[in-house]
Amino acid sequence: MTRYDDKQKHFYALISLVLQIGVIASAVLIVIGLVLYFSQARSGDYHQFVRPDYSFPHSFGSIKSGLHRSGGLAYITAGLLVLILTPILRVATSILLFISKKDKPMAYVTISVLIILIGSFLLGYFVK
Amino acid sequence: MSLIDFIISLSLISISAGLLGSLIGLGGGVIIVPVLTLIYHVDIRLAIGASILSVIATSSGAAVTYVREKLTNLRAGMFLEIATTIGAITGAYLTTIIASRSLFVLFAIILAYSALTILRRRKDPEILLKSDDKLANYLDLHGSYYDENEKRTVKYKVQNTKLGLGLMYVAGIVSALLGVGSGALKVPAMDAAMHMPMKASAATSDFMIGVTAAASAGAYFVRGEINPLIAGPVVIGVLIGAIAGSRILNKISSNLIKFIFVAVLVVVAIEMLQRGLS
């Protein structure tokens, strides 16, 4: 971290900003989703909504169609996906920052982290 | 209880999880999983799915402040993330072959271990001014930050990088298995093994747990274990708590935080053990 002290502040501020944007976008989508969901008059005990067999969108197709129908659950899920993507976006941003500082070793380190992250997503998607 | 009461009460409880998690470098999962299973009687797998997201929320919410204040050691954190993400992939697939009951017992053991780790810490490990660790020197993983409490800049050198990597791999596995941030393993890996100052370790752990959790969150999402009506309110509450926690860390006594947290961990560990063995 002592390598580029003069530009360090800028570096840290940018990573912080990426996290801030992700967090705000996620929270806004979740709140919109909850408001939409309750505008459709829900009643009854909560247990039926949290049982393992209760169905909710958990594929990209169902989220997309849910967003078109202004479905509350799809908005909440989209917000949760934005939250999951925030750390990944942060890793991607740091790759660009390390490359721009010509810091090769750390660029390779962060590229490895991104590859492992993408690998884990693909594994999760195809191996169920 | 009606659904709206469930969502409002869950959000409020989640604030405390975000607050505690951000202060000590642990994910909110330590609170979220027991709250969902013991108070709301939610299935353990759905509880873990929501908890994985609470970890990302704690991490990203708290890191906004910690990174801006440079309490987080970005270089060390990103380097160690290689080990935690590989561990997280390993753990995510172990969950499909390990039964719920043994997860409870394992969770209880991890909580008890966390409590012991925090309790036993009477004195912070020595801060090094020199390091002969080749990897740490090559990648320049050393750091410095301004300590607002002591009104001075703390400079430190990192040691035992390979041991740190090994511990981080284990932390990644545990994290994915239980839906916790496993900061309980990450913080000691950094401050005890690698000689990083406590505050930097907690802030760097908070920064890292988001990536570890994100590595396994994709799998949980596709398997349909992230119910938006559970995870949504948890995330909102945890974000509020984590943002608040990251702003007050320097202003309250850390001994008080340690005391409350150890007490919470012990109580919950006993409850989880009972459930796993009954």
Side-chain angles (χ1 to χ4, degrees):
Chain A
M1 297 212 303
T2 47
R3 206 169 273 179
Y4 22 71
D5 267 347
D6 51 327
K7 290 177 182 167
Q8 229 191 66
K9 210 173 174 180
H10 176 70
F11 197 114
Y12 277 70
L14 204 65
I15 299 280
S16 172
L17 183 69
V18 168
L19 292 170
Q20 199 168 15
I21 291 170
V23 161
I24 291 171
S26 164
V28 167
L29 281 168
I30 293 172
V31 170
I32 291 175
L34 285 171
V35 170
L36 280 174
Y37 191 73
F38 281 101
S39 67
Q40 293 152 354
R42 307 284 159 179
S43 63
D45 189 75
Y46 81 92
H47 279 101
Q48 57 182 304
F49 301 100
V50 301
R51 275 173 27 195
D53 57 358
Y54 175 68
S55 95
F56 47 81
H58 63 93
S59 70
F60 295 107
S62 59
I63 293 170
K64 212 174 142 191
S65 65
L67 290 176
H68 281 300
R69 284 183 285 107
S70 297
L73 289 183
Y75 274 87
I76 303 172
T77 310
L80 298 174
L81 278 181
V82 169
L83 188 74
I84 295 173
L85 289 174
T86 300
I88 297 163
L89 195 65
R90 184 266 281 170
V91 173
T93 310
S94 39
I95 292 174
L96 296 179
L97 284 170
F98 284 124
I99 289 174
S100 76
K101 309 283 185 204
K102 299 199 169 47
D103 187 339
K104 265 193 192 168
M106 282 308 292
Y108 288 132
V109 163
T110 40
I111 288 169
S112 313
V113 173
L114 188 66
I115 290 173
I116 299 165
L117 269 176
I118 293 170
S120 79
F121 266 81
L122 293 178
L123 271 172
Y125 201 79
F126 293 112
V127 189
K128 285 179 193 175
Chain B
M1 189 190 285
S2 72
L3 184 62
I4 188 117
D5 290 339
F6 167 76
I7 284 174
I8 290 170
S9 60
L10 184 57
S11 311
L12 292 176
I13 294 174
S14 301
I15 293 177
S16 65
L19 201 62
L20 281 174
S22 63
L23 287 176
I24 325 201
L26 311 192
V30 159
I31 309 285
I32 295 299
V33 173
V35 161
L36 284 173
T37 54
L38 301 177
I39 299 177
Y40 295 107
H41 305 288
V42 168
D43 180 78
I44 180 84
R45 293 190 185 276
L46 293 178
I48 289 179
S51 150
I52 279 277
L53 284 165
S54 85
V55 174
I56 305 178
T58 308
S59 170
S60 299
V64 170
T65 307
Y66 292 151
V67 170
R68 200 194 291 129
E69 288 180 358
K70 291 198 218 162
L71 260 178
T72 295
N73 183 333
L74 282 184
R75 300 176 74 89
M78 288 177 187
F79 176 67
L80 295 170
E81 275 166 5
I82 294 179
T84 58
T85 45
I86 295 175
I89 296 180
T90 314
Y93 292 94
L94 286 177
T95 53
T96 56
I97 50 173
I98 295 177
S100 292
R101 179 166 290 190
S102 53
L103 282 181
F104 274 111
V105 178
L106 194 60
F107 195 27
I109 295 169
I110 299 282
L111 291 177
Y113 173 80
S114 306
L116 260 179
T117 312
I118 299 167
L119 251 187
R120 279 199 311 206
R121 195 196 312 285
R122 285 285 145 79
K123 211 174 73 175
D124 287 348
E126 197 190 348
I127 307 296
L128 301 176
L129 298 172
K130 256 172 73 174
S131 170
D132 55 13
D133 188 309
K134 282 182 189 152
L135 206 53
N137 287 333
Y138 175 66
L139 290 169
D140 193 7
L141 302 181
H142 315 300
S144 70
Y145 67 93
Y146 182 72
D147 192 311
E148 282 178 28
N149 211 19
E150 298 172 20
K151 306 275 181 220
R152 68 184 180 99
T153 302
V154 179
K155 284 192 175 182
Y156 58 93
K157 298 280 184 184
V158 170
Q159 188 73 276
N160 302 327
T161 313
K162 280 178 189 160
L163 175 62
L165 275 178
L167 291 171
M168 289 296 175
Y169 175 70
V170 175
I173 294 179
V174 170
S175 178
L177 270 180
L178 301 176
V180 296
S182 72
L185 299 174
K186 289 188 174 90
V187 174
M190 283 183 277
D191 84 335
M194 297 171 69
H195 289 267
M196 283 170 60
M198 178 60 194
K199 273 190 189 174
S201 300
T204 307
S205 171
D206 262 321
F207 175 75
M208 293 173 64
I209 56 179
V211 157
T212 318
S216 46
Y220 281 92
F221 172 73
V222 175
R223 283 205 301 264
E225 289 171 7
I226 295 175
N227 180 333
L229 290 174
I230 304 171
V234 164
V235 164
I236 293 295
V238 165
L239 279 178
I240 295 169
I243 291 168
S246 66
R247 279 160 199 229
I248 59 172
L249 174 64
N250 275 337
K251 293 171 188 159
I252 47 175
S253 146
S254 57
N255 278 334
L256 177 67
I257 303 169
K258 276 183 203 169
F259 176 75
I260 299 168
F261 204 71
V262 167
V264 171
L265 288 190
V266 170
V267 171
V268 177
I270 294 167
E271 285 176 357
M272 280 283 160
L273 198 61
Q274 274 179 340
R275 203 174 163 101
L277 299 177
S278 63

